[in-house]
Amino acid sequence: MHELGIVFYIIRDVKQVAEENSVKHVSKVVMNIGEVSTVVPEYLTDCWRWAADKEDLLRGCELEVQTIGAVSFCEDCKTEFGTVAHGKTCPCCGSGKTYLLRGNEVEIKEIEIKEE
Ligand SMILES: [Zn+2]
């Protein structure tokens, strides 16, 4: 259960951006969460609600999670394949020399500010 720690990182980053831009209130934060990132979106949004409402800047602010599908790449046959379906073994040639291309993201994609 490390979602709360991630929420505090998000809040810190959003606060910093808000300060730099003299923003008083943020209405929505959009996150990219990779399919194999180990972050559970439901826990993340639960923790977010709890923590964000303690901050004036983020009271009532929505957290939207966009899932990034995990894709791996095979070094032997240069094929891209779904990591969740096939794991570390290439479905085309059976090679184990594969690595994750995307799907491990935990990053802020967008910060939305409602105009007063
Ligand atoms: Zn292959």
Side-chain angles (χ1 to χ4, degrees):
M1 179 74 183
H2 60 146
E3 280 76 7
L4 189 58
I6 293 165
V7 161
F8 284 126
Y9 274 114
I10 300 169
I11 288 176
R12 197 195 57 188
D13 280 4
V14 172
K15 266 182 164 173
Q16 199 180 337
V17 172
E19 263 168 45
E20 284 166 5
N21 296 281
S22 311
V23 168
K24 298 271 180 296
H25 189 258
V26 174
S27 59
K28 187 173 171 183
V29 175
V30 182
M31 295 291 298
N32 276 341
I33 303 291
E35 209 176 4
V36 295
S37 68
T38 78
V39 173
V40 181
E42 290 76 29
Y43 289 163
L44 194 68
T45 47
D46 281 355
C47 293
W48 173 260
R49 193 71 281 135
W50 177 82
D53 285 345
K54 295 187 189 318
E55 307 278 345
D56 285 340
L57 177 72
L58 299 168
R59 192 158 294 129
C61 176
E62 187 191 339
L63 185 77
E64 184 184 317
V65 173
Q66 296 189 347
T67 306
I68 307 288
V71 175
S72 289
F73 181 76
C74 173
E75 287 185 26
D76 284 336
C77 72
K78 316 294 180 201
T79 299
E80 292 183 14
F81 61 91
T83 312
V84 171
H86 302 289
K88 289 186 164 69
T89 306
C90 174
C92 295
C93 72
S95 170
K97 278 164 72 181
T98 63
Y99 61 87
L100 194 67
L101 280 182
R102 59 183 172 274
N104 204 22
E105 296 80 357
V106 180
E107 61 192 20
I108 297 171
K109 187 191 177 201
E110 270 171 43
I111 297 173
E112 286 184 22
I113 292 123
K114 210 172 263 163
E115 299 291 334
E116 296 289 315

mmCIF file of all heavy atoms in Angstrom, residues 31-60:
data_model
loop_
_atom_site.group_PDB
_atom_site.id
_atom_site.type_symbol
_atom_site.label_atom_id
_atom_site.label_comp_id
_atom_site.label_asym_id
_atom_site.label_seq_id
_atom_site.Cartn_x
_atom_site.Cartn_y
_atom_site.Cartn_z
ATOM 1 N N MET A 31 -3.645 11.735 -14.286
ATOM 2 C CA MET A 31 -2.437 10.926 -14.119
ATOM 3 C C MET A 31 -2.340 9.862 -15.203
ATOM 4 O O MET A 31 -3.337 9.275 -15.599
ATOM 5 C CB MET A 31 -2.482 10.172 -12.782
ATOM 6 C CG MET A 31 -2.461 11.023 -11.539
ATOM 7 S SD MET A 31 -0.891 11.827 -11.296
ATOM 8 C CE MET A 31 0.220 10.432 -11.095
ATOM 9 N N ASN A 32 -1.125 9.601 -15.648
ATOM 10 C CA ASN A 32 -0.846 8.421 -16.469
ATOM 11 C C ASN A 32 -0.336 7.330 -15.542
ATOM 12 O O ASN A 32 0.681 7.505 -14.876
ATOM 13 C CB ASN A 32 0.256 8.727 -17.495
ATOM 14 C CG ASN A 32 -0.286 9.392 -18.735
ATOM 15 O OD1 ASN A 32 -1.479 9.337 -19.011
ATOM 16 N ND2 ASN A 32 0.591 10.013 -19.487
ATOM 17 N N ILE A 33 -1.047 6.213 -15.488
ATOM 18 C CA ILE A 33 -0.612 5.101 -14.653
ATOM 19 C C ILE A 33 -0.422 3.875 -15.539
ATOM 20 O O ILE A 33 -1.353 3.428 -16.204
ATOM 21 C CB ILE A 33 -1.659 4.786 -13.548
ATOM 22 C CG1 ILE A 33 -1.944 6.007 -12.671
ATOM 23 C CG2 ILE A 33 -1.200 3.597 -12.700
ATOM 24 C CD1 ILE A 33 -0.809 6.452 -11.777
ATOM 25 N N GLY A 34 0.789 3.363 -15.569
ATOM 26 C CA GLY A 34 1.095 2.197 -16.379
ATOM 27 C C GLY A 34 0.426 0.940 -15.821
ATOM 28 O O GLY A 34 0.265 0.801 -14.615
ATOM 29 N N GLU A 35 0.080 0.061 -16.738
ATOM 30 C CA GLU A 35 -0.620 -1.183 -16.399
ATOM 31 C C GLU A 35 0.186 -2.070 -15.451
ATOM 32 O O GLU A 35 -0.370 -2.811 -14.659
ATOM 33 C CB GLU A 35 -0.835 -1.948 -17.719
ATOM 34 C CG GLU A 35 -2.021 -2.834 -17.774
ATOM 35 C CD GLU A 35 -2.173 -3.457 -19.158
ATOM 36 O OE1 GLU A 35 -1.306 -3.257 -20.041
ATOM 37 O OE2 GLU A 35 -3.160 -4.158 -19.353
ATOM 38 N N VAL A 36 1.506 -2.023 -15.537
ATOM 39 C CA VAL A 36 2.334 -2.862 -14.666
ATOM 40 C C VAL A 36 3.113 -2.017 -13.640
ATOM 41 O O VAL A 36 4.155 -2.427 -13.149
ATOM 42 C CB VAL A 36 3.308 -3.759 -15.479
ATOM 43 C CG1 VAL A 36 2.530 -4.766 -16.302
ATOM 44 C CG2 VAL A 36 4.227 -2.931 -16.371
ATOM 45 N N SER A 37 2.587 -0.860 -13.306
ATOM 46 C CA SER A 37 3.298 0.056 -12.402
ATOM 47 C C SER A 37 3.127 -0.301 -10.931
ATOM 48 O O SER A 37 3.755 0.307 -10.081
ATOM 49 C CB SER A 37 2.807 1.483 -12.617
ATOM 50 O OG SER A 37 1.466 1.594 -12.168
ATOM 51 N N THR A 38 2.281 -1.249 -10.598
ATOM 52 C CA THR A 38 1.945 -1.686 -9.226
ATOM 53 C C THR A 38 1.051 -0.689 -8.482
ATOM 54 O O THR A 38 0.707 -0.919 -7.331
ATOM 55 C CB THR A 38 3.172 -2.002 -8.325
ATOM 56 O OG1 THR A 38 3.749 -0.778 -7.853
ATOM 57 C CG2 THR A 38 4.215 -2.837 -9.035
ATOM 58 N N VAL A 39 0.671 0.409 -9.130
ATOM 59 C CA VAL A 39 -0.257 1.346 -8.496
ATOM 60 C C VAL A 39 -1.685 0.892 -8.811
ATOM 61 O O VAL A 39 -2.011 0.621 -9.953
ATOM 62 C CB VAL A 39 -0.039 2.779 -9.011
ATOM 63 C CG1 VAL A 39 -1.115 3.720 -8.486
ATOM 64 C CG2 VAL A 39 1.341 3.265 -8.607
ATOM 65 N N VAL A 40 -2.502 0.795 -7.767
ATOM 66 C CA VAL A 40 -3.903 0.427 -7.959
ATOM 67 C C VAL A 40 -4.720 1.720 -8.061
ATOM 68 O O VAL A 40 -4.799 2.466 -7.085
ATOM 69 C CB VAL A 40 -4.419 -0.435 -6.787
ATOM 70 C CG1 VAL A 40 -5.872 -0.843 -7.004
ATOM 71 C CG2 VAL A 40 -3.530 -1.657 -6.596
ATOM 72 N N PRO A 41 -5.284 1.996 -9.239
ATOM 73 C CA PRO A 41 -5.980 3.276 -9.438
ATOM 74 C C PRO A 41 -7.066 3.559 -8.393
ATOM 75 O O PRO A 41 -7.201 4.696 -7.948
ATOM 76 C CB PRO A 41 -6.598 3.126 -10.834
ATOM 77 C CG PRO A 41 -5.688 2.185 -11.533
ATOM 78 C CD PRO A 41 -5.230 1.219 -10.482
ATOM 79 N N GLU A 42 -7.806 2.528 -7.962
ATOM 80 C CA GLU A 42 -8.878 2.739 -6.978
ATOM 81 C C GLU A 42 -8.302 3.217 -5.645
ATOM 82 O O GLU A 42 -8.858 4.100 -5.001
ATOM 83 C CB GLU A 42 -9.685 1.452 -6.730
ATOM 84 C CG GLU A 42 -10.561 1.010 -7.893
ATOM 85 C CD GLU A 42 -9.767 0.373 -9.020
ATOM 86 O OE1 GLU A 42 -8.706 -0.227 -8.738
ATOM 87 O OE2 GLU A 42 -10.187 0.494 -10.196
ATOM 88 N N TYR A 43 -7.177 2.621 -5.219
ATOM 89 C CA TYR A 43 -6.539 3.057 -3.974
ATOM 90 C C TYR A 43 -6.024 4.479 -4.125
ATOM 91 O O TYR A 43 -6.103 5.286 -3.209
ATOM 92 C CB TYR A 43 -5.344 2.152 -3.612
ATOM 93 C CG TYR A 43 -5.700 0.771 -3.161
ATOM 94 C CD1 TYR A 43 -4.745 -0.235 -3.155
ATOM 95 C CD2 TYR A 43 -6.981 0.462 -2.717
ATOM 96 C CE1 TYR A 43 -5.052 -1.518 -2.743
ATOM 97 C CE2 TYR A 43 -7.296 -0.823 -2.298
ATOM 98 C CZ TYR A 43 -6.330 -1.806 -2.319
ATOM 99 O OH TYR A 43 -6.633 -3.067 -1.911
ATOM 100 N N LEU A 44 -5.483 4.744 -5.312
ATOM 101 C CA LEU A 44 -4.893 6.058 -5.555
ATOM 102 C C LEU A 44 -5.962 7.143 -5.439
ATOM 103 O O LEU A 44 -5.743 8.160 -4.771
ATOM 104 C CB LEU A 44 -4.249 6.088 -6.944
ATOM 105 C CG LEU A 44 -3.320 7.265 -7.211
ATOM 106 C CD1 LEU A 44 -2.069 7.170 -6.363
ATOM 107 C CD2 LEU A 44 -2.939 7.332 -8.676
ATOM 108 N N THR A 45 -7.119 6.916 -6.055
ATOM 109 C CA THR A 45 -8.164 7.940 -6.005
ATOM 110 C C THR A 45 -8.756 8.044 -4.594
ATOM 111 O O THR A 45 -9.101 9.130 -4.145
ATOM 112 C CB THR A 45 -9.276 7.680 -7.051
ATOM 113 O OG1 THR A 45 -9.677 6.315 -6.988
ATOM 114 C CG2 THR A 45 -8.795 7.978 -8.446
ATOM 115 N N ASP A 46 -8.841 6.936 -3.860
ATOM 116 C CA ASP A 46 -9.306 6.974 -2.462
ATOM 117 C C ASP A 46 -8.369 7.823 -1.603
ATOM 118 O O ASP A 46 -8.806 8.685 -0.839
ATOM 119 C CB ASP A 46 -9.365 5.566 -1.852
ATOM 120 C CG ASP A 46 -10.611 4.815 -2.306
ATOM 121 O OD1 ASP A 46 -11.460 5.417 -3.009
ATOM 122 O OD2 ASP A 46 -10.734 3.629 -1.967
ATOM 123 N N CYS A 47 -7.059 7.555 -1.718
ATOM 124 C CA CYS A 47 -6.061 8.309 -0.952
ATOM 125 C C CYS A 47 -6.084 9.778 -1.356
ATOM 126 O O CYS A 47 -5.915 10.663 -0.524
ATOM 127 C CB CYS A 47 -4.654 7.763 -1.192
ATOM 128 S SG CYS A 47 -4.395 6.120 -0.553
ATOM 129 N N TRP A 48 -6.265 9.988 -2.646
ATOM 130 C CA TRP A 48 -6.297 11.355 -3.175
ATOM 131 C C TRP A 48 -7.412 12.167 -2.513
ATOM 132 O O TRP A 48 -7.205 13.279 -2.045
ATOM 133 C CB TRP A 48 -6.497 11.321 -4.685
ATOM 134 C CG TRP A 48 -6.716 12.672 -5.273
ATOM 135 C CD1 TRP A 48 -7.912 13.220 -5.632
ATOM 136 C CD2 TRP A 48 -5.718 13.663 -5.556
ATOM 137 N NE1 TRP A 48 -7.722 14.488 -6.117
ATOM 138 C CE2 TRP A 48 -6.388 14.789 -6.084
ATOM 139 C CE3 TRP A 48 -4.324 13.700 -5.407
ATOM 140 C CZ2 TRP A 48 -5.708 15.940 -6.454
ATOM 141 C CZ3 TRP A 48 -3.656 14.845 -5.781
ATOM 142 C CH2 TRP A 48 -4.334 15.945 -6.300
ATOM 143 N N ARG A 49 -8.623 11.576 -2.483
ATOM 144 C CA ARG A 49 -9.778 12.269 -1.900
ATOM 145 C C ARG A 49 -9.480 12.694 -0.471
ATOM 146 O O ARG A 49 -9.742 13.821 -0.060
ATOM 147 C CB ARG A 49 -10.988 11.328 -1.966
ATOM 148 C CG ARG A 49 -12.335 11.913 -1.699
ATOM 149 C CD ARG A 49 -12.828 12.835 -2.827
ATOM 150 N NE ARG A 49 -12.209 14.165 -2.759
ATOM 151 C CZ ARG A 49 -11.709 14.824 -3.820
ATOM 152 N NH1 ARG A 49 -11.768 14.306 -5.016
ATOM 153 N NH2 ARG A 49 -11.156 15.998 -3.687
ATOM 154 N N TRP A 50 -8.901 11.767 0.271
ATOM 155 C CA TRP A 50 -8.613 11.996 1.684
ATOM 156 C C TRP A 50 -7.584 13.114 1.858
ATOM 157 O O TRP A 50 -7.756 14.031 2.648
ATOM 158 C CB TRP A 50 -8.114 10.691 2.298
ATOM 159 C CG TRP A 50 -7.719 10.822 3.731
ATOM 160 C CD1 TRP A 50 -8.559 10.795 4.813
ATOM 161 C CD2 TRP A 50 -6.401 11.011 4.238
ATOM 162 N NE1 TRP A 50 -7.828 10.962 5.955
ATOM 163 C CE2 TRP A 50 -6.514 11.098 5.629
ATOM 164 C CE3 TRP A 50 -5.139 11.123 3.647
ATOM 165 C CZ2 TRP A 50 -5.399 11.284 6.445
ATOM 166 C CZ3 TRP A 50 -4.033 11.318 4.453
ATOM 167 C CH2 TRP A 50 -4.172 11.386 5.841
ATOM 168 N N ALA A 51 -6.496 13.035 1.085
ATOM 169 C CA ALA A 51 -5.387 13.975 1.253
ATOM 170 C C ALA A 51 -5.653 15.322 0.580
ATOM 171 O O ALA A 51 -5.311 16.373 1.123
ATOM 172 C CB ALA A 51 -4.097 13.363 0.717
ATOM 173 N N ALA A 52 -6.263 15.296 -0.604
ATOM 174 C CA ALA A 52 -6.435 16.540 -1.369
ATOM 175 C C ALA A 52 -7.390 17.498 -0.667
ATOM 176 O O ALA A 52 -7.184 18.713 -0.690
ATOM 177 C CB ALA A 52 -6.946 16.231 -2.774
ATOM 178 N N ASP A 53 -8.419 16.948 -0.013
ATOM 179 C CA ASP A 53 -9.411 17.809 0.635
ATOM 180 C C ASP A 53 -8.864 18.531 1.860
ATOM 181 O O ASP A 53 -9.504 19.414 2.410
ATOM 182 C CB ASP A 53 -10.663 17.006 0.997
ATOM 183 C CG ASP A 53 -11.513 16.709 -0.234
ATOM 184 O OD1 ASP A 53 -11.293 17.353 -1.274
ATOM 185 O OD2 ASP A 53 -12.393 15.832 -0.164
ATOM 186 N N LYS A 54 -7.669 18.152 2.303
ATOM 187 C CA LYS A 54 -7.026 18.862 3.418
ATOM 188 C C LYS A 54 -6.294 20.121 2.945
ATOM 189 O O LYS A 54 -5.829 20.912 3.756
ATOM 190 C CB LYS A 54 -6.015 17.947 4.123
ATOM 191 C CG LYS A 54 -6.647 16.752 4.794
ATOM 192 C CD LYS A 54 -5.594 16.016 5.603
ATOM 193 C CE LYS A 54 -6.086 14.681 6.135
ATOM 194 N NZ LYS A 54 -7.446 14.691 6.666
ATOM 195 N N GLU A 55 -6.165 20.264 1.625
ATOM 196 C CA GLU A 55 -5.420 21.389 1.053
ATOM 197 C C GLU A 55 -6.394 22.374 0.406
ATOM 198 O O GLU A 55 -7.244 21.965 -0.374
ATOM 199 C CB GLU A 55 -4.468 20.880 -0.050
ATOM 200 C CG GLU A 55 -3.548 19.751 0.358
ATOM 201 C CD GLU A 55 -2.320 20.250 1.104
ATOM 202 O OE1 GLU A 55 -2.045 21.464 1.058
ATOM 203 O OE2 GLU A 55 -1.655 19.423 1.733
ATOM 204 N N ASP A 56 -6.257 23.667 0.728
ATOM 205 C CA ASP A 56 -7.121 24.674 0.094
ATOM 206 C C ASP A 56 -7.002 24.617 -1.426
ATOM 207 O O ASP A 56 -7.992 24.709 -2.140
ATOM 208 C CB ASP A 56 -6.736 26.086 0.564
ATOM 209 C CG ASP A 56 -7.219 26.328 1.987
ATOM 210 O OD1 ASP A 56 -8.137 25.598 2.425
ATOM 211 O OD2 ASP A 56 -6.680 27.225 2.651
ATOM 212 N N LEU A 57 -5.772 24.465 -1.884
ATOM 213 C CA LEU A 57 -5.500 24.444 -3.328
ATOM 214 C C LEU A 57 -6.260 23.329 -4.049
ATOM 215 O O LEU A 57 -6.643 23.467 -5.207
ATOM 216 C CB LEU A 57 -3.989 24.254 -3.546
ATOM 217 C CG LEU A 57 -3.501 24.139 -4.989
ATOM 218 C CD1 LEU A 57 -3.576 25.487 -5.689
ATOM 219 C CD2 LEU A 57 -2.084 23.600 -5.032
ATOM 220 N N LEU A 58 -6.479 22.222 -3.344
ATOM 221 C CA LEU A 58 -6.982 21.010 -4.007
ATOM 222 C C LEU A 58 -8.335 20.528 -3.493
ATOM 223 O O LEU A 58 -8.754 19.427 -3.799
ATOM 224 C CB LEU A 58 -5.961 19.880 -3.828
ATOM 225 C CG LEU A 58 -4.590 20.152 -4.430
ATOM 226 C CD1 LEU A 58 -3.583 19.131 -3.952
ATOM 227 C CD2 LEU A 58 -4.650 20.149 -5.941
ATOM 228 N N ARG A 59 -9.009 21.355 -2.702
ATOM 229 C CA ARG A 59 -10.293 20.913 -2.150
ATOM 230 C C ARG A 59 -11.281 20.640 -3.284
ATOM 231 O O ARG A 59 -11.502 21.486 -4.147
ATOM 232 C CB ARG A 59 -10.853 21.967 -1.183
ATOM 233 C CG ARG A 59 -12.026 21.429 -0.373
ATOM 234 C CD ARG A 59 -12.239 22.215 0.905
ATOM 235 N NE ARG A 59 -11.102 22.037 1.829
ATOM 236 C CZ ARG A 59 -10.447 23.019 2.414
ATOM 237 N NH1 ARG A 59 -10.770 24.254 2.176
ATOM 238 N NH2 ARG A 59 -9.448 22.766 3.235
ATOM 239 N N GLY A 60 -11.843 19.441 -3.312
ATOM 240 C CA GLY A 60 -12.808 19.078 -4.349
ATOM 241 C C GLY A 60 -12.174 18.750 -5.694
ATOM 242 O O GLY A 60 -12.867 18.418 -6.651
#
